[in-house]
């Protein structure tokens, strides 16, 4: 495993944020899962055929800009961020930058889950590659039964969630 921005091969630290740079975060360690999601909710919320969703424990996620040393995500979210509570069965809060409108994280406190998207992670200067890709590379496709484009890769494809739904490919 390659060394990432502020981490070592044993403890990667990745950073990301919105397009204007007003809202930034960092995640420490390795994610507990990382997937391509094809569910209709992700399609509608992102405007894309699918998203690359990277999930960390809440304690691994911190807003770093604007600077706020509070320990809870709710109190870290300052005047630079909007929040939207959503979710039918799993309450979730989506945080986005007030200045540019880019969503940067979904936080599910009840599940100790902080979801980021690889597209908002920092990139290397030379080729535009996501820094720490080896840490966040997806392991499968979920909700592939509602996929609106076919993806030709070697990753497992699941009808719903991995290992508890039908594997499609």
């Amino acid at each position: 495993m390659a060394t990432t921005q502020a981490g070592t091969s044993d403890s990667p630290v990745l950073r990301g944020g919105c397009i204007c740079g007003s809202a930034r975060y960092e995640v420490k360690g390795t994610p507990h899962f990382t997937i391509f999601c094809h569910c209709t909710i992700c399609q509608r919320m992102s405007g894309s055929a699918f998203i690359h969703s990277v999930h960390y424990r809440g304690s691994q996620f911190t807003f770093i800009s604007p600077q706020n040393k509070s320990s809870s995500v709710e109190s870290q979210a300052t005047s630079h961020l909007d929040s939207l509570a959503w979710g039918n069965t799993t309450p979730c809060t989506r945080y986005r930058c007030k200045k540019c409108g880019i969503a940067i994280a979904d936080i599910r406190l009840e599940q100790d889950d902080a979801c980021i998207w690889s597209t908002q992670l920092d990139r290397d200067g030379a080729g535009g590659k996501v820094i720490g890709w080896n840490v966040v590379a997806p392991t499968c496709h979920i909700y592939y039964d509602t996929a609106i484009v076919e993806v030709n890769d070697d990753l497992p494809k699941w009808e719903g969630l991995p290992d508890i739904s039908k594997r499609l490919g």
Side-chain angles (χ1 to χ4, degrees):
M1 180 184 298
T3 300
T4 57
Q5 290 168 330
T8 67
S9 59
D10 297 323
S11 179
V13 175
L14 302 177
R15 293 187 183 91
C18 67
I19 199 165
C20 75
S22 294
R24 306 262 310 140
Y25 64 82
E26 71 179 16
V27 286
K28 296 179 182 177
T30 56
H32 60 97
F33 67 95
T34 174
I35 46 87
F36 285 138
C37 184
H38 298 262
C39 80
T40 58
I41 292 170
C42 287
Q43 290 171 1
R44 290 177 178 168
M45 289 188 87
S46 69
S48 299
F50 60 95
I51 64 166
H52 180 198
S53 183
V54 183
H55 294 259
Y56 286 85
R57 300 288 174 214
S59 60
Q60 294 174 276
F61 176 91
T62 306
F63 286 113
I64 58 172
S65 178
Q67 290 295 324
N68 187 334
K69 300 298 182 192
S70 176
S71 60
S72 74
V73 170
E74 296 98 334
S75 57
Q76 289 174 14
T78 67
S79 61
H80 289 74
L81 296 168
D82 274 333
S83 64
L84 169 69
W86 68 279
N88 295 334
T89 58
T90 307
C92 180
T93 302
R94 174 160 287 190
Y95 291 94
R96 67 179 184 182
C97 175
K98 281 185 178 179
K99 187 174 178 183
C100 67
I102 300 298
I104 61 169
D106 277 350
I107 307 294
R108 292 172 181 84
L109 292 175
E110 291 180 13
Q111 293 184 326
D112 189 28
D113 183 69
C115 172
I116 61 167
W117 305 280
S118 67
T119 53
Q120 275 96 7
L121 287 169
D122 289 347
R123 309 293 179 106
D124 67 25
K129 304 278 187 194
V130 169
I131 296 171
W133 178 255
N134 58 328
V135 175
V136 299
T139 59
C140 68
H141 295 265
I142 64 172
Y143 298 103
Y144 200 73
D145 62 330
T146 57
I148 59 175
V149 296
E150 292 292 320
V151 179
N152 186 13
D153 62 21
D154 294 330
L155 296 176
K157 294 170 176 68
W158 297 91
E159 183 177 69
L161 295 173
D163 301 321
I164 60 172
S165 68
K166 180 180 177 184
R167 185 168 174 178
L168 302 174

